[in-house]
Amino acid sequence: MPKIIYMPSEAELPPGARRRFSALLFHLYRDAGRPPLRLVSDVIAKRNDLEGTASRETVRRMLHGTVPTDWRAVEAVLEAFCDLGDLDPEDVVDIGDGYGKSLRPHLRELWNQALENPGPDPTDAWIHQSVRARRAELGPPPDPFD
């Protein structure tokens, strides 16, 4: 049974550009049904139309806040999550304040921000409030051995 991957805590991945990048990827990972990372890397390997590649370890690191320097690896992971979650990378997503942007350019913007400014960003307070509210609403994660 594959190990469940959780979004890193704020102590593990402080607020800022890297956390926003990782949070969007994690959202896509959940929408894809939390697939085993080997499956994600297999989907990428089977796609002949992708310029980039990503091993399961690369995918795991990205979900935990590591920002690869090659956009093609990020785009490959985006495509795999979209394939597995029956999503379209050109779908418009809400980026806050009633604005929308296509998923691919939004992720690329977050990737660029994470490369250029990887440190904490105090303007992320609204993200933390919504995450805390959502966690309080959901309660603790289920025990897989229950």
Side-chain angles (χ1 to χ4, degrees):
M1 182 165 159
K3 184 177 177 183
I4 295 175
I5 298 174
Y6 296 100
M7 176 72 190
S9 69
E10 289 180 17
E12 297 166 322
L13 183 59
R18 281 184 31 219
R19 185 168 185 85
R20 288 191 303 270
F21 169 77
S22 182
L24 180 54
L25 282 177
F26 210 87
H27 176 79
L28 295 169
Y29 169 70
R30 285 193 304 257
D31 283 353
R34 295 181 181 262
L37 301 184
R38 182 172 303 280
L39 176 60
V40 176
S41 62
D42 288 348
V43 167
I44 293 168
K46 290 177 185 173
R47 291 269 311 257
N48 296 327
D49 60 325
L50 297 176
E51 292 180 28
T53 187
S55 68
R56 67 182 178 147
E57 181 61 16
T58 299
V59 177
R60 185 192 67 75
R61 287 181 181 180
M62 288 170 63
L63 291 171
H64 285 110
T66 299
V67 182
T69 57
D70 188 349
W71 165 249
R72 295 172 297 184
V74 177
E75 188 173 37
V77 172
L78 166 65
E79 290 284 344
F81 286 158
C82 286
D83 285 354
L84 293 166
D86 197 27
L87 303 168
D88 183 345
E90 301 309 321
D91 281 347
V92 174
V93 294
D94 179 11
I95 60 170
D97 296 333
Y99 294 100
K101 192 171 202 176
S102 292
L103 189 54
R104 186 186 320 273
H106 182 52
L107 182 60
R108 187 167 187 146
E109 182 177 321
L110 293 177
W111 170 75
N112 275 309
Q113 290 172 6
L115 284 176
E116 295 166 3
N117 183 18
D121 181 350
T123 62
D124 281 354
W126 68 272
I127 291 175
H128 305 269
Q129 291 168 355
S130 77
V131 168
R132 280 193 291 275
R134 184 73 175 138
R135 283 188 180 154
E137 187 180 295
L138 294 174
D143 184 348
F145 301 105
D146 227 3

